[in-house]
Amino acid sequence: MSVASRKGLDNSNPLVYESVSQRELTEAEQNDDVVDKFDGREVFDMIRRINDPEHPLTLEELNVVQIDHCEVDDDKNRVVVYYTPTIPHCSMATLIGLAIRVKLLRSLPERFKVDVRIYEGSHVSEAAVNKQLSDKERVAAALENDHLLNVINQCLTIHKK
Amino acid sequence: MASLDLVQSLHGHDDRAWSVKWNPAGTILASCGSDTKIILWMEEGGKWSAKVTLTNAHQRTVRTVAWSPTGTYLASCSFDKTICIWKRDETGAFDSIATLEGHENEVKCVAWSISGEYLASCSRDKTVWIWTCEYDDEYDCLSVLHSHTQDVKKLCWSPSEDILVSCSYDNTIKLFKDDGDDWTCVETLSGHTSTVWSVGFDHSGNRLVSCSDDQTIKIWQRLGGEGDGNFGAQGWQCVCTLGGFHDRTIFDVDWNRKNGAIASAGADDSIKIFEEDLDVRDSLREPSFRLSFSVPRAHSQDVNAVSWNPVRPNLLASCSDDGSIKIWNYTQEAR
């Protein structure tokens, strides 16, 4: 998983989307006696502020991640996130998927099986990118690469606005 | 009723445990993992414990370990692109005696041939290397095989002849042989629809078992030979596909060479044991295998490897992303 050279931006003028409003806390969620299961909104909140590798914008602002594309089944310990690259030949697609994956691996309890996949039909190399992202051996090796890990950590650093 | 019961849970790795392998005498279990350590576990008074920890040989994840057929040597391979050879001295201590370099990328697996003459290694760089141990513990690369088009995941040698089998991210399994001049790919087995993570021989060397990201296990048989069933085909053919048992990637399979049971494990945290239905065994029909026992939550995370003890065929070892190693006792169904 190499980081593509940065000569020029893939998508120099991306559409910017509005952020969703803050999650409203319900009474049950504030009650410690109620079991609070993970849901799509919670997973979305974990990944919405990941930075795009190229633009000073978040994945949410670029519409790369969306609430409706975060599927969570707490009982079965499954999380599936579908993300949409800004353009179908985006060379950063694997890197973005890896950043989402790393963020979720760090944020969710270990019991969860996490799948990060390209939203169907939104990228030319969809199958190849999905296969790379689901190969945990290659993901593990990539994360032992200091340069790549730096780039990912930059994507995961939250910038105050 | 068959059963698989936990004998002991072993803790010693600080991170994901990638591989477990028994020595040929079945007295030492070697494990390795992302913490770059290799741990040798031995039994004393019915309890297994970490007797030796080998460190400082690798800079990154140790992916797999392999024992030489005599048990004198242990090979380890790492994401740091190197292979390390360890030799056991008279006192039972292991020393690193050689580091083999040459792969351009992470080394994923190492395996010794049954003759002890060859060591094979494979890598993310898509190649399979064959090394010889000449004398004085000098290792030379004999051949570099470029047959796979992607990351090569696992290797194993036939228990009866110098045939090497590899499997890959390119979804295929390949067989290699020395044709008298050089090592060449003599057969490519296609059928899996995603990464083939592991492959292993049965006791005879005439059958193979493989497992894949496509969530199936396949049994391959060498046909056309003497005494084999012949379904009008020659060479290695897939004769059985076991699907619907694992619902995530299957990372490893091991075929017990003493009792014929196949163990499988993967990303669904489970370990499953399969047995061949010998009642319906008929040379004119394809073989049939059935699930004999399943442990749905064998570990709390992905199970990365399973290994049958070669001398005590009821003992199975497994290792997991949760960092633990487990030893299990398998009771076969009374026949």
Side-chain angles (χ1 to χ4, degrees), chain B residues 11-30:
Chain B
H11 303 275
H13 287 287
D14 308 318
D15 201 341
R16 169 184 279 160
W18 273 114
S19 162
V20 275
K21 287 279 170 61
W22 294 98
N23 70 335
T27 53
I28 310 175
L29 179 71

Side-chain angles (χ1 to χ4, degrees), chain B residues 26 52 71 118 210 264 281 283 299 301:
Chain B
V52 180
Y118 307 108
S210 60
S264 65
R281 193 160 188 179
S283 62
H299 284 269
Q301 292 181 55

Side-chain angles (χ1 to χ4, degrees), chain A residues 1 78 110 113-115 131-132 135-138 140-141 144, chain B residues 60-61 63 108 153 169 171 195 248 267 269 301-302 304 321:
Chain A
M1 292 185 198
R78 290 284 313 256
E110 284 173 340
K113 303 287 182 187
V114 178
D115 289 309
K131 192 171 183 182
Q132 279 230 49
D135 185 319
K136 73 165 186 188
E137 186 185 44
R138 289 167 72 136
E144 287 184 11
Chain B
R60 292 177 56 187
T61 287
R63 179 63 181 89
K108 299 288 179 77
K153 296 295 195 187
Y169 190 89
N171 307 355
T195 304
R248 290 184 75 82
D269 307 346
Q301 292 181 55
D302 294 10
N304 293 320
D321 276 0

Side-chain angles (χ1 to χ4, degrees), chain A residues 26-46:
Chain A
T26 62
E27 236 172 81
E29 281 166 344
Q30 293 178 71
N31 181 350
D32 287 344
D33 297 330
V34 176
V35 177
D36 185 11
K37 290 184 177 178
F38 281 92
D39 58 19
R41 172 68 206 238
E42 220 161 339
V43 165
F44 175 72
D45 282 346
M46 289 173 186

Side-chain angles (χ1 to χ4, degrees), chain B residues 2-172:
Chain B
S3 71
L4 187 68
D5 303 303
L6 182 65
V7 174
Q8 204 182 328
S9 212
L10 311 174
H11 303 275
H13 287 287
D14 308 318
D15 201 341
R16 169 184 279 160
W18 273 114
S19 162
V20 275
K21 287 279 170 61
W22 294 98
N23 70 335
T27 53
I28 310 175
L29 179 71
S31 65
C32 63
S34 297
D35 58 4
T36 75
K37 284 194 284 200
I38 298 162
I39 301 180
L40 304 182
W41 308 85
M42 289 173 224
E43 192 184 27
E44 214 172 52
K47 284 283 167 202
W48 295 87
S49 60
K51 288 289 176 202
V52 180
T53 302
L54 307 174
T55 52
N56 297 326
H58 294 291
Q59 309 304 313
R60 292 177 56 187
T61 287
V62 183
R63 179 63 181 89
T64 323
V65 282
W67 293 93
S68 70
T70 59
T72 314
Y73 298 91
L74 180 73
S76 58
C77 66
S78 165
F79 285 179
D80 70 9
K81 309 177 193 177
T82 69
I83 298 152
C84 187
I85 311 289
W86 307 81
K87 190 179 184 180
R88 188 183 191 177
D89 67 19
E90 306 77 45
T91 69
F94 283 82
D95 278 313
S96 156
I97 56 156
T99 301
L100 312 186
E101 294 174 358
H103 280 294
E104 289 171 21
N105 247 310
E106 297 102 59
V107 187
K108 299 288 179 77
C109 189
V110 273
W112 299 88
S113 69
I114 200 72
S115 60
E117 205 177 332
Y118 307 108
L119 179 73
S121 61
C122 65
S123 162
R124 169 78 185 281
D125 69 14
K126 305 170 188 175
T127 64
V128 173
W129 291 44
I130 309 229
W131 309 78
T132 51
C133 177
E134 291 292 330
Y135 52 90
D136 285 348
D137 296 328
E138 285 287 321
Y139 289 80
D140 286 316
C141 175
L142 255 190
S143 198
V144 177
L145 306 161
H146 293 270
S147 305
H148 282 292
T149 58
Q150 290 288 346
D151 190 354
V152 189
K153 296 295 195 187
K154 198 77 56 96
L155 297 166
C156 76
W157 289 88
S158 161
S160 53
E161 53 201 309
D162 284 335
I163 291 179
L164 176 69
V165 177
S166 62
C167 58
S168 163
Y169 190 89
D170 70 12
N171 307 355
T172 69

